[in-house]
Amino acid sequence: MVSIATFTLPADEFPLGRVFETHPDATLELDRVVPFGDTMMPCFWVFEQDADLAGIRDVFESLPELRTAELLVDLDGGGLFRAEWNPDFLGIMAAIETSRLTALFASGTRDGWRFLLRETEPGQLSAFTQYCADNDIPATLSRLDRVTAAPESPENGLTPEQFEALRLAYEEGYYEDPRRTDLSTLADALGISRQAYAGRLRRAYRAVVADIVARDP
């Protein structure tokens, strides 16, 4: 039995949340986590209207919890960063790694963080919650779903969050003519900013187009 658990965390309980003090309208979205030596290197998107990416990078570079912070991609309204974590300050990242859970998705705003985690072996979620309790990490379970098999990414290469964004837009009539909804309403339904939702759709479109082009003989 596979379980998908959603945990929430106050904005200031995850080091990257320090950016909300100077950029309250920003949204952060975890892209992937790469193990690296004695630490981890998470890549994450930052979305903000008229984003001051240089200022955001300065905030990240000032954090004692990070060894380095590098801006990889600079886009209109957002950017992709890569950080090297200080192993003394891994926090919830260490809880995920130690319990061997898979982080499917994570996003943060000034209202808090949301982590979507997958358990594939019995006891992983228990180990995670115990680690959080032992290390004063205030992660709160907000949802738990049981599935009969591990969910796989659609064959077109979409990530779970991209597929979720596309499906919601389709079901709510965003692609109908005339449209029955807008990006702000869809973003609110997922608890993320309009810029973050629009970015997620753009990456989903790119993945679908790339899949179609790659399959064309």
Side-chain angles (χ1 to χ4, degrees), residues 8 18 34 104 111 114 141 153 208:
T8 59
R18 206 81 48 80
V34 180
L104 298 176
D111 296 323
R114 173 173 168 256
L141 178 65
S153 297
V208 171

Side-chain angles (χ1 to χ4, degrees), residues 47-102:
F47 299 101
E48 183 186 34
Q49 188 171 3
D50 300 323
D52 175 17
L53 295 179
I56 291 173
R57 183 188 57 206
D58 289 343
V59 174
F60 292 146
E61 289 181 341
S62 70
L63 297 178
E65 294 89 351
L66 301 182
R67 286 175 170 172
T68 61
E70 179 183 4
L71 177 60
L72 300 178
V73 179
D74 185 344
L75 299 175
D76 182 25
L80 177 65
F81 289 82
R82 179 175 62 194
E84 183 180 349
W85 219 261
N86 187 326
D88 294 331
F89 297 98
L90 289 179
I92 194 172
M93 304 297 290
I96 296 171
E97 177 72 11
T98 301
S99 59
R100 295 184 292 112
L101 290 169
T102 301

